[in-house]
Amino acid sequence: MLPANIEIRDYLAGLIKQSRLKQNERLPSERELVEQFKSTRITVRDALSKLESEGLIYRSNRRGWFVSPPRLEYDPSSRVNFYLLAEQQQRTPATELISQKRIKGPQAARTALAVAADEKLIELVRLRSLDGRPVLYEFIYLPESRFPELMKKDLEGSLTTLMQRDYNVEITHEDNRICVSAVYDQVADALSHINGAPCLEIRRIRYEGERKAVEFDIEHWVHSAIELRIPSH
């Protein structure tokens, strides 16, 4: 006989795989599942956590659990921006600017951008969504000397487009470092995750011209929302 948490997990996974629960459809509430399986809330939450870790469902703060849509296919070796990538896959992208500051910045950003000791960096913190679901929390660092008056502009659209249009910056190269990490505090809350939940972390340096670094990013992706696809060349 299966443990109760596995029985609940298998039941819900079956409904999803048979399309009886469809993409972005809300699952029965925890209370309903407790009553249906004559179980406990702790057992139900464990089953839901298993489905979340497998990428089959996601939680939305104060709204419940939902069936995950297809993952966004992403080739980190390409330079396609978030908006274009989403639209190519028939998804609806959105960006919310959380904060913007002039700061000294983390040493990793200063080193990557090779800025002078007295130069300030612009830090942009943004939350990005697909079809209304938050999937990416990002920290962006740019040298203020290269992007004067940047904080007066609309920073909730494509930064790539803005840089090209207003600053004549053409991104020619990118370096990406990808690892499994975890999210905490405001990042976890914004992504509807619990503290310590796993995420896919991408650290990116973007260059213009002959390897002049102009942007350093730290991205925290909901792991169930993205699929890395790297074709051989």
Side-chain angles (χ1 to χ4, degrees):
M1 184 173 180
L2 290 174
N5 60 340
I6 301 301
E7 180 186 2
I8 298 168
R9 179 263 165 215
D10 289 353
Y11 169 76
L12 293 172
L15 294 181
I16 293 168
K17 291 174 181 176
Q18 296 163 21
S19 296
R20 292 168 63 188
L21 282 172
K22 302 186 185 304
Q23 297 169 15
N24 293 310
E25 183 176 346
R26 193 168 81 86
L27 271 65
S29 70
E30 293 181 10
R31 179 182 57 79
E32 291 171 324
L33 291 171
V34 167
E35 293 175 356
Q36 178 179 347
F37 287 91
K38 297 179 173 54
S39 188
T40 67
R41 190 171 291 269
I42 291 175
T43 299
V44 166
R45 285 181 177 172
D46 183 69
L48 294 171
S49 293
K50 284 179 166 53
L51 290 167
E52 181 185 33
S53 68
E54 296 169 41
L56 292 176
I57 65 173
Y58 68 94
R59 78 181 83 198
S60 177
N61 286 341
R62 295 172 291 278
R63 294 179 60 227
W65 293 88
F66 295 81
V67 179
S68 296
R71 298 171 189 252
L72 184 73
E73 289 190 8
Y74 172 55
D75 176 6
S77 67
S78 71
R79 296 189 296 278
V80 176
N81 68 58
F82 176 79
Y83 276 84
L84 182 57
L85 185 67
E87 289 165 0
Q88 287 174 343
Q89 297 178 45
Q90 290 76 56
R91 310 293 291 277
T92 303
T95 301
E96 177 188 354
L97 180 66
I98 304 298
S99 67
Q100 53 180 344
K101 301 176 185 174
R102 293 176 63 252
I103 61 171
K104 183 176 180 180
Q107 189 56 50
R110 299 189 68 82
T111 299
L113 296 170
V115 294
D118 59 347
E119 181 174 356
K120 292 285 190 180
L121 298 180
I122 298 170
E123 178 194 69
L124 307 178
V125 181
R126 307 196 301 182
L127 177 65
R128 313 196 85 168
S129 303
L130 289 173
D131 305 323
R133 175 194 178 191
V135 297
L136 166 62
Y137 199 97
E138 61 182 357
F139 298 83
I140 301 171
Y141 299 94
L142 307 116
E144 186 178 36
S145 60
R146 184 65 183 87
F147 300 99
E149 307 296 320
L150 179 70
M151 292 195 294
K152 294 181 180 179
K153 300 183 182 295
D154 177 11
L155 299 172
E156 293 192 331
S158 166
L159 193 58
T160 301
T161 300
L162 185 153
M163 291 163 65
Q164 184 177 28
R165 183 190 66 223
D166 294 1
Y167 296 95
N168 197 31
V169 169
E170 186 73 38
I171 300 299
T172 55
H173 305 85
E174 291 187 358
D175 287 337
N176 297 280
R177 293 178 180 268
I178 303 169
C179 68
V180 175
S181 184
V183 290
Y184 296 92
D185 303 328
Q186 77 272 15
V187 180
D189 185 62
L191 295 174
S192 296
H193 274 17
I194 60 172
N195 268 346
C199 75
L200 192 67
E201 179 181 299
I202 301 177
R203 294 193 172 218
R204 175 181 297 106
I205 306 173
R206 307 181 81 203
Y207 302 88
E208 66 171 330
E210 294 299 319
R211 293 282 178 172
K212 172 61 178 175
V214 293
E215 181 183 340
F216 178 79
D217 304 338
I218 303 174
E219 299 180 350
H220 300 285
W221 283 89
V222 173
H223 76 281
S224 62
I226 185 173
E227 178 175 307
L228 299 182
R229 185 168 182 241
I230 307 174
S232 60
H233 296 289

